[in-house]
Amino acid sequence: MKNEQDIQQREGAQQGSGEILPTRIPRSETATIADRVRSARIAANKTQQQLAGDTYSKSYISAVERGKMTPSVQALGVLAGRLGLPVSFFLGESDADLSVLAESSASLRSTPERERLVREEAVALMLGEVEYELRRQQPNEALSRLGSDEPPEDLSAMQRPRWYWLKGWALILKKFHNEAISTLEKGLSVTDALRAQAPQSQRGHLAEMAERLRLALGSAYYELRQLELAVEYHRRGLQAVTDGMVSDPELKLRIYVALGHDYLLLGRYQE
């Protein structure tokens, strides 16, 4: 508690004394996740408690900013969403102009814009809860949260591919494989359209989401015993891994395992 108070006092002293924080953290191995989270939070004029919200504790954010704890990919996605920056910035894969972030934060005093952001954040948190339920093999609860056949209106464009992926995953667990294929194909189409228009800093995230959708599509075809189609989707995932388009180690592992299952069922043991 004392360390956290000391940090907050130092932050207050910096802001009160007029010390200028760096407006841009360049892509560099020397800038850690802790550095980037703290600098982005201060630029966005948020307290540790505001960044934590109802999802995390203030002490957790403090530990992240001090480098005592490394956030999971899911947690980093939530924090990135709250700070209005891509996950790639916190991973050191892109840079960001924090002065723009500060200006955006100051401009959010209009009630309609603030309310819109609150709604978007609530939907983003809901998707995180859905993923947690699916990992616990609870598709009924997940489908109940996801609701209709289309993403909610409050969901931002960048979050829509994730909604389709989670919906397809839930339908696969329910063994509604044809419905899952339809949902996942639509999600893949949405993702590809976003990638064509997205800035470079967001394309890596979208490319990886496209591979999540393809992996799920291959799994649905595997369950239907349409193995050649399953192999086609899973081999594309393997190519994405080879090309360096997939950074999440769990996703890499799932692609390898899925393709291995395809080959085993086809009797192609050497492959």
Side-chain angles (χ1 to χ4, degrees):
M1 179 66 71
K2 186 175 185 301
N3 290 339
E4 187 171 309
Q5 290 173 345
D6 291 343
I7 291 172
Q8 290 171 342
Q9 288 172 357
R10 287 198 296 272
E11 290 173 1
Q14 289 172 346
Q15 293 168 335
S17 65
E19 179 176 337
I20 299 175
L21 291 169
T23 58
R24 179 178 290 272
I25 297 181
R27 191 181 313 177
S28 168
E29 294 180 358
T30 61
T32 64
I33 290 177
D35 296 331
R36 290 168 181 269
V37 170
R38 181 175 179 276
S39 297
R41 175 181 64 77
I42 293 173
N45 197 27
K46 287 181 179 289
T47 65
Q48 289 180 339
Q49 186 61 66
Q50 288 172 329
L51 181 56
D54 296 330
T55 316
Y56 308 106
S57 66
K58 181 180 175 183
S59 60
Y60 173 78
I61 300 300
S62 175
V64 169
E65 292 187 356
R66 287 181 289 131
K68 300 296 184 182
M69 184 173 292
T70 302
S72 66
V73 174
Q74 180 179 342
L76 201 56
V78 173
L79 299 182
R82 290 177 181 174
L83 291 168
L85 291 168
V87 173
S88 59
F89 165 73
F90 297 98
L91 296 176
E93 297 171 356
S94 66
D95 59 3
D97 189 344
L98 297 186
S99 64
V100 174
L101 181 63
E103 292 169 5
S104 298
S105 175
S107 69
L108 293 180
R109 293 173 183 170
S110 63
T111 302
E113 181 67 7
R114 185 176 295 276
E115 289 179 352
R116 181 186 66 80
L117 287 179
V118 168
R119 290 196 301 271
E120 285 187 359
E121 181 174 317
V123 176
L125 290 175
M126 179 272 290
L127 294 182
E129 293 168 354
V130 167
E131 183 172 347
Y132 175 73
E133 287 165 349
L134 292 175
R135 289 182 181 277
R136 297 181 64 193
Q137 303 289 305
Q138 296 176 342
N140 290 331
E141 291 81 352
L143 287 171
S144 176
R145 285 180 180 271
L146 291 169
S148 66
D149 294 333
E150 294 296 330
E153 293 182 0
D154 292 333
L155 195 62
S156 66
M158 286 294 292
Q159 288 281 11
R160 288 175 181 269
R162 187 183 182 197
W163 185 94
Y164 284 109
W165 169 57
L166 294 172
K167 183 82 170 188
W169 183 359
L171 290 169
I172 289 173
L173 290 178
K174 289 287 290 180
K175 301 189 184 303
F176 299 152
H177 300 118
N178 288 317
E179 293 90 334
I181 289 169
S182 176
T183 297
L184 293 165
E185 285 179 341
K186 188 169 185 178
L188 191 56
S189 176
V190 168
T191 305
D192 288 341
L194 284 172
R195 285 177 66 189
Q197 302 174 4
Q200 191 64 39
S201 61
Q202 295 178 343
R203 289 181 184 176
H205 167 74
L206 290 169
E208 196 161 88
M209 181 54 69
E211 298 315 317
R212 292 184 189 279
L213 289 158
R214 287 195 183 94
L215 174 62
L217 274 165
S219 298
Y221 281 117
Y222 176 90
E223 294 296 332
L224 291 171
R225 293 301 184 263
Q226 298 183 34
L227 299 180
E228 293 300 333
L229 282 171
V231 168
E232 179 182 340
Y233 280 107
H234 292 154
R235 281 183 62 85
R236 288 194 64 178
L238 179 61
Q239 187 61 52
V241 171
T242 303
D243 293 343
M245 297 173 65
V246 178
S247 60
D248 182 356
E250 181 188 8
L251 179 56
K252 290 180 183 179
L253 180 60
R254 288 181 178 275
I255 290 170
Y256 282 121
V257 170
L259 190 54
H261 285 163
D262 298 341
Y263 286 147
L264 283 172
L265 208 57
L266 285 167
R268 292 158 63 175
Y269 303 120
Q270 290 297 323
E271 290 173 281

